[in-house]
Structures are given as structure tokens and as C-alpha cells.
């Protein structure tokens, strides 16, 4: 069966129901561990060059109970970890289509300029805000001073373009970008390992806050912090200087109840990735011991409104907490199977309707 005749969630590795199965073709990319290059300045000097994030790119002041903006990650159009998925799509296509749908901002990907003024020009051309950007951290293995030395250019890029949070993904020992099965992910086995990791995160988080950006920790399949228990431990060993990026899709894939976990930790949530899941594909991924990328290629994730996650409850919990920030549609799929514009529009429509309904209930 050709790629264009597959349906989302229908192609799986091997054979299933007479259909040819897809296999992931992992390639090195930022999310799977390509380390940010250290800037030319020492860490101490760079503290004065990274500016407080301006209000334009962050949450707007309003009297509404749920004060959010809806953004998107370019992974719907092209996948940094799997360039075979939409790698040929120009950045301008993603930006123009996203803005036409109604999205107010984009998270960054590998196709965006890495110089602050150049990035600002690209985003301004489309009337879009810089939401945030993934940072490949290694605090599970390295010292805080090393991380501070490495983060400078990325931090400067975000702060000077109005982002108030940095997406921190732990890539030390990760298998998320490899062909290894998910059960081989790294783990902390001792309390002292968790405590030491938390202390390093707290220190790094304080450094970011001093520069006007908050650390948004992304729990992720294939990494040290994946499961509900991992997230509980992370929240227990860190303070408020470490915010939680809550990802509904990763939490569900990891075996958690997304609604219950959000309710438990919503006070620490500073950023939200709205990702839906296809339970049948997740079951196959677990039963067949797939890698993370194989699960992605075969349709484990989709946009809000196209899977099994209860986004109405998620939005209601955020409203009750008076969450202020971004809701980001981030659903890595094969754009041949799940056309980017069509699915991005579906995700936006789902979230827009739920947010508007929540705010109507507040005013009623």
C-alpha cells in the first residue's frame, strides 16, 4: 500500500490486517540529543546580555478566567527527529498556514533562524509570536555550570523574542531518537539520584528566571522522566523555579491518566502541549516493544479532537486554576498520512471551542 493511501493510525511495523507496516527511520536531531553550541561569552557575562522577555509574546492581561493563547509546534508540518516526515516543507508554508488557521504563535524548530533579530523578522512577517523552543538539556549527567555555558544562545534567542518559558527536554541517555525499544529508557533507581537531579534543575531554573525565562520541564517518552511516578518524583525534588510542561499525549502514552495528573500538578504547570493519542496504536507499541519513533510513524499521536484524551476536562482544570499562558498543539505525525493543514485546523478548532465555552461558563 502506498504512503498516500494509508490512514492515520493504520500503518504499523510488520503486518497488521493485511497492511504493510511502517518502520521508523531515526536520524539525529535536536530533540534526540544534538547539543546546543556554547556561546562566545562566559556564563557570568551572558547574564547581562539576556533580557527580560517582553510582554508581547507572553500571555495578555485580561479579566477572563482562562487567559490563554493558542499556538502550535511546526512538527505538524516537518519533524526534526524524522526529516523523512515533511522535511521538504518550507518553513514559510507552516507559518502562513498556521496563521491562516488562527494560531497566534509558533514554538521553534530546526528551520527557524537562530539569530534573535532574524527570527523576529520571520515571525513578524506572518504576525506570529515566539511561543518557546525545545532545549536539549543534560543535567542528568552534567554539572549546572556546563549547562549554563551551553544554554546561552538559545536563552538569548527566546528572551529577545518575548518567550517567557523554555521547553527543557532531558536528553542525557535518552532513547527517544533511536531505534531502541521504549522499555530500555534510562531511569533513576535511588533516592539520592533523584535528589541530586532535582538540585541541579533548581539551580538551573533559578538562572533562567534571573534572565526572565522559566524552565518548563517536558516529561517525555524514552527519557528519565516519563511515567506518572516519574513526574511525581520530579515535582517532589524540585521547587517552583522548575515549572512543569504538561503534555497530555506523552502522559497518556506513559500509562497515566492525563486529567488526574494535570489536576494533581496543575499549580506547577507553566506550559501545556495539547497532544491527543490513538489508544490502539499505543497498545501495539507496548505489545510489540516498539521504539518511540516507530510509534510516531505509525500514528500514536494526533491533534486534539481526533483521539481519546478528554480535553474538555483539561481545559476546565486549567480554567479553575486561572492558568495564564500558551496551549500548544504539538502532534508529530506523517503529513502524507495526516495532512498538516487539515489536522492543524482540527486541533485549533477543538481548543478554540473548549476555551471559549469555558470562558462563557465563567461569565454566566
Amino acid at each position: 500500500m502506498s504512503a498516500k493511501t494509508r490512514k492515520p493510525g493504520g500503518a504499523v511495523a510488520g503486518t497488521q490486517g493485511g497492511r504493510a507496516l511502517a518502520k521508523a527511520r531515526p536520524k539525529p536531531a535536536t530533540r534526540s540529543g544534538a547539543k546546543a553550541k556554547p556561546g562566545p561569552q562566559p556564563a557570568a557575562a551572558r547574564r547581562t546580555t539576556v533580557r527580560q522577555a517582553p510582554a508581547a509574546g507572553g500571555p495578555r492581561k485580561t479579566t477572563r478566567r482562562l487567559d490563554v493563547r493558542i499556538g502550535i509546534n511546526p512538527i505538524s508540518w516537518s519533524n526534526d527527529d524524522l526529516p523523512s516526515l515533511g522535511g521538504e516543507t518550507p518553513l514559510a508554508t507552516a507559518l502562513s498556514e498556521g496563521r491562516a488557521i488562527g494560531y497566534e504563535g509558533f514554538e521553534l524548530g530546526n528551520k527557524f533562524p537562530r539569530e534573535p533579530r532574524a527570527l523576529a523578522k520571520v515571525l513578524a512577517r506572518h504576525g506570529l509570536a515566539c511561543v518557546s523552543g525545545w532545549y536539549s538539556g543534560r543535567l542528568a549527567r552534567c554539572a549546572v555550570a556546563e549547562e549554563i555555558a551551553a544554554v546561552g544562545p538559545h536563552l538569548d534567542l527566546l528572551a529577545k523574542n518575548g518567550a517567557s518559558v523554555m521547553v527543557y527536554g532531558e536528553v542525557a541517555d535518552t532513547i527517544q531518537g533511536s531505534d531502541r525499544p521504549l522499555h530500555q529508557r534510562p531511569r533513576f533507581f535511588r533516592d539520592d539520584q533523584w535528589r541530586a537531579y532535582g538540585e541541579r534543575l533548581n539551580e538551573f531554573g533559578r538562572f533562567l528566571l534571573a534572565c526572565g525565562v522559566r524552565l518548563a520541564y517536558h516529561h517525555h517518552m524514552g527519557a528519565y522522566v516519563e511515567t506518572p511516578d516519574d513526574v511525581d518524583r520530579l515535582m517532589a525534588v524540585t521547587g517552583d523555579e522548575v515549572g512543569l510542561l504538561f503534555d497530555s499525549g506523552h502522559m497518556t502514552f506513559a500509562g497515566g491518566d492525563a486529567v488526574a495528573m494535570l489536576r494533581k500538578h496543575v499549580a506547577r504547570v507553566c506550559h501545556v502541549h495539547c497532544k491527543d493519542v490513538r489508544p490502539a496504536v499505543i497498545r501495539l507499541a507496548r505489545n510489540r516493544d516498539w521504539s518511540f519513533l516507530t510509534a510516531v510513524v505509525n500514528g500514536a499521536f494526533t491533534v486534539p479532537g481526533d483521539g481519546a484524551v478528554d480535553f474538555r476536562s483539561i481545559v476546565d482544570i486549567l480554567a479553575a486554576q486561572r492558568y495564564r499562558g500558551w496551549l500548544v498543539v504539538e502532534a508529530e505525525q506523517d503529513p502524507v498520512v495526516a495532512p498538516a493543514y487539515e489536522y492543524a485546523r482540527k486541533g485549533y478548532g477543538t481548543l478554540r471551542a473548549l476555551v471559549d465555552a469555558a470562558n462563557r461558563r465563567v461569565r454566566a
Side-chain angles (χ1 to χ4, degrees), residues 237-258:
V237 299
T238 56
D240 287 342
E241 54 265 68
V242 176
L244 177 64
L245 185 163
F246 183 79
D247 188 303
S248 54
H250 279 277
M251 179 52 61
T252 306
F253 196 158
D257 180 329

Side-chain angles (χ1 to χ4, degrees), residues 194-206:
W194 277 106
R195 286 194 298 270
Y197 186 53
E199 289 169 3
R200 291 193 292 273
L201 285 169
N202 284 337
E203 185 178 346
F204 187 61
R206 286 191 292 271

Side-chain angles (χ1 to χ4, degrees), residues 278-311:
R278 297 187 176 97
V281 179
I282 288 176
R283 286 193 294 271
L284 283 170
R286 291 301 193 187
N287 292 338
R288 298 186 177 187
D289 213 16
W290 286 351
S291 69
F292 174 67
L293 293 182
T294 298
V296 167
V297 168
N298 287 289
F301 295 134
T302 186
V303 298
D306 191 51
V309 173
D310 180 4
F311 279 99

Side-chain angles (χ1 to χ4, degrees), residues 188-199 233 237:
F188 295 126
F189 293 103
R190 303 190 313 271
D191 290 345
D192 63 304
Q193 292 175 316
W194 277 106
R195 286 194 298 270
Y197 186 53
E199 289 169 3
R233 292 298 299 271
V237 299

